[in-house]
Amino acid sequence: MASLITIKDMCKIYNPGENEVRALDHIDLSINKGEFVAIIGQSGSGKSTLMNMLGCLDIPTSGDYYLNGSDVSSLEDDELSDIRNHEIGFIFQGFNLIAGLTALENVELPLMYRGISKSKREHMAVTALEKVGLASRMTHKPAEMSGGQQQRVAIARAIAQAPPIILADEPTGNLDSHSTSEILDILQSLYKEGRTIILITHDNDIAAQAQRVVKIKDGKIEKDYFN
C-alpha cells in the first residue's frame, strides 16, 4: 500500500532555550492511503500539535513531512493553504458553522471561495448533505438543528470536494452518545469508500473504532498498533 503521509524525525519546540517545551519530540510516522488511524493522547500529550502538522496548519521546528511524496515541511503559507484546500477535509469539535446561513449555504461557502461555479457547487453540496443523511434539513440554519445534525453539516462541508484525507479533531467531543454513534458511522462509511481518516481523540472507546491507533505521550509516540 502506498504511503500517503511520511513524517521523519519531526520536532516542534515552543520557547526555545531554557524554558523550551518539546510539543513533538523526534516523531516518526507513516500513514498509508485508505487507512483509518486514531491518534490518541491526553491533554498536553502533543496530539493537537501533531494534528496541526498533519493538517498543514503549522510547520515543524525540524524534521520532514512528506504528503503524497512532496516535502511540505518548508512550504510558504499560501502553498500550505492550497494543500489544505485540495487535499484535506477538516472536522472540528466546534462545528464552525455560520449562524446566518442554511446547511446548504454552509457547505457551499468553501466551494465558492475555491472558484467553483454556482451550479456545480450546489450539486456538490446537495450530494454531500445527502451522504450524511440531511436531505430534509438543507434549508435549516444551525440554530434549528441538533448538535449531531450540525456536526453532520460540518462533515458534509469537509467531504464536498472529495478530499483524499479527512482530519477529524475530537469530532464527537460536544455530542451525546446517539449523535456520537451517528458521526462514527459516517466516518466508517467514508473509510470504506477509500478515504484516509485521521481521528484525533482522548477517548479509548472512540479510538477503538479506528483500524489503527497511534498513542502519543509527552511529544513522543508511545504505541502504534492495529485494532
Side-chain angles (χ1 to χ4, degrees), residues 140-155:
H140 290 70
K141 292 181 179 176
E144 301 166 328
M145 292 184 281
S146 69
Q149 289 170 335
Q150 290 182 60
Q151 188 61 296
R152 282 191 273 160
V153 175
I155 292 175

Side-chain angles (χ1 to χ4, degrees), residues 32-202:
N32 291 329
K33 286 181 180 173
E35 278 197 285
F36 187 166
V37 180
I39 296 174
I40 186 167
Q42 296 307 311
S43 179
S45 62
K47 70 181 187 300
S48 296
T49 304
L50 181 56
M51 185 213 75
N52 287 339
M53 300 299 154
L54 292 169
C56 295
L57 295 164
D58 198 357
I59 56 172
T61 305
S62 61
D64 299 308
Y65 176 17
Y66 294 91
L67 180 60
N68 265 329
S70 298
D71 185 359
V72 299
S73 44
S74 56
L75 295 181
E76 299 295 325
D77 285 350
D78 57 340
E79 295 170 308
L80 291 172
S81 176
D82 199 44
I83 289 170
R84 289 194 299 271
N85 279 337
H86 293 97
E87 301 287 334
I88 305 167
F90 292 93
I91 306 164
F92 296 104
Q93 180 175 345
F95 318 125
N96 295 349
L97 301 178
I98 295 175
L101 299 182
T102 64
L104 184 65
E105 290 165 341
N106 265 288
V107 177
E108 273 191 76
L109 191 62
L111 303 173
M112 183 175 74
Y113 289 144
R114 289 168 198 167
I116 296 170
S117 69
K118 180 162 178 52
S119 59
K120 187 175 179 185
R121 69 176 182 256
E122 186 171 327
H123 173 73
M124 291 165 75
V126 167
T127 301
L129 285 163
E130 288 173 346
K131 185 174 281 192
V132 299
L134 288 178
S136 63
R137 310 287 288 180
M138 293 191 196
T139 59
H140 290 70
K141 292 181 179 176
E144 301 166 328
M145 292 184 281
S146 69
Q149 289 170 335
Q150 290 182 60
Q151 188 61 296
R152 282 191 273 160
V153 175
I155 292 175
R157 181 182 57 196
I159 66 174
Q161 206 179 7
I165 301 168
I166 302 295
L167 192 54
D169 182 18
E170 301 276 10
T172 60
N174 288 332
L175 304 179
D176 61 28
S177 57
H178 176 70
S179 296
T180 291
S181 180
E182 288 181 338
I183 298 307
L184 291 172
D185 285 347
I186 292 170
L187 292 176
Q188 287 286 357
S189 69
L190 292 167
Y191 163 55
K192 286 169 185 167
E193 284 177 13
R195 308 284 180 90
T196 304
I197 312 292
I198 302 172
L199 171 64
I200 314 294
T201 184
H202 68 277

Side-chain angles (χ1 to χ4, degrees), residues 207-219:
Q209 302 292 315
Q211 168 205 28
R212 176 183 167 198
V213 178
V214 175
K215 188 173 183 183
I216 188 166
K217 183 178 180 182
D218 298 329

